[in-house]
Amino acid sequence: MKPRVLVVDDEPQIQRFLKLGLEAGGFAVSAAATAADAIRLIARSAPDLVLLDLGLPDLDGKEVIRQAR
């Protein structure tokens, strides 16, 4: 089973870049563009790793970390 990574960034170009690189490295990648989506995906799928932009449009990334814990 591939390790699961959630990429959280509101910039589509950054999401694509990270997704391509991580998938080439053998990871299963999902993505979220908002903090609300990220929190929902973390709760639902429990990824092995979250790459998180701290400057999201709807909530500070630090708050996403607090809520994910």
Side-chain angles (χ1 to χ4, degrees):
M1 177 183 269
K2 294 180 181 182
R4 294 168 294 139
V5 177
L6 173 61
V7 174
V8 185
D9 201 296
D10 58 326
E11 295 289 332
Q13 309 91 310
I14 293 173
Q15 278 190 14
R16 280 192 302 271
F17 174 77
L18 291 172
K19 187 174 195 278
L20 287 172
L22 289 165
E23 287 176 340
F27 294 92
V29 181
S30 57
T34 66
D37 286 343
I39 293 165
R40 182 178 47 79
L41 286 170
I42 291 167
R44 185 175 64 190
S45 64
D48 298 303
L49 175 71
V50 178
L51 295 177
L52 176 63
D53 178 6
L54 295 179
L56 295 169
D58 58 337
L59 192 65
D60 182 69
K62 292 177 187 177
E63 183 58 30
V64 173
I65 294 168
R66 281 187 208 92
Q67 290 187 30
R69 287 185 178 167

